Amino acid sequence: MNLGYARGKRVNQQFDYLEAYEVEEIFSDGTRDYEVFQDPESNYQRLLDYAEPGDCLVITSLEVISRDYQKLLSFLDELDELELDIVVLTSPNLTLMDWREVFFWVSKNDRLLHPRLIKMKLKQEKNQNKQAYSVFSGDSESRYLYREVMWQLIGKQKLRKISEQKGVPIETIYRIQQEFKRLKLALILAMCFILAITTIKISENFSDNLWIQVAVCVITTLAILYNTLADNEQT
């Protein structure tokens, strides 16, 4: 029996692929994060409970499960224990054992590739991630994910935890964090400027001495900047 599973981006498109493959049942966890695979109440877990030895799990791409080689290897081990096979519709037609050999080789030999090729690959991925995960991205889902990461950074969640939840490389999360800090600092400076003008106006009501007005303005501004920078150091 062919059992389809959909999760992540473009779920409706995944449904179309799975229905065209004529799967008997389709399970989906919608747009939930990768941590859904740790949820015993997830539809993915229901699929595993429903499946019988000899059944085949059908997915549109490996990103539905994970982007990490080690996690994909663990996923394949789980299928092997349940005596299930796998079909990835947008990839070559490989058996579960074939996929395991591929990921095992990649995880062991990726560092043995030519250093220049690795550097070019990382640079290319960095540029792709920078274009994909941005407030100006052409993809609405990428913009939504960017905002979600921003809110989690505001909530002071750990970068690695955000990376695991959203399935985004930690380098990208770090870049978004730096953009968030620059935006935060720009807003603070703008507020300091407005507050400085306001403080001078208020000080005029209590003293005509210009130096006193300037001193009050400087002290207030430095206090705000100190608290802001101290908060940034903690995060």
Side-chain angles (χ1 to χ4, degrees), residues 58-77:
V58 183
I59 55 178
T60 57
S61 70
L62 292 169
E63 287 189 359
V64 171
I65 304 301
S66 179
R67 298 177 182 177
D68 183 88
Y69 295 142
Q70 295 298 333
K71 291 183 179 179
L72 285 171
L73 279 171
S74 299
F75 161 72
L76 295 176
D77 289 340

Side-chain angles (χ1 to χ4, degrees), residues 146 150 153-154 159 173-189 228-235:
Y146 184 87
M150 276 289 194
L153 290 173
I154 293 174
L159 300 189
I173 302 298
Y174 177 77
R175 174 182 61 80
I176 296 176
Q177 182 195 50
Q178 297 307 306
E179 293 177 358
F180 168 70
K181 286 184 176 181
R182 288 194 292 270
L183 176 62
K184 182 179 178 180
L185 184 58
L187 291 174
I188 291 297
L189 291 176
T228 302
L229 294 176
D231 183 65
N232 283 336
E233 288 294 327
Q234 293 177 357
T235 57

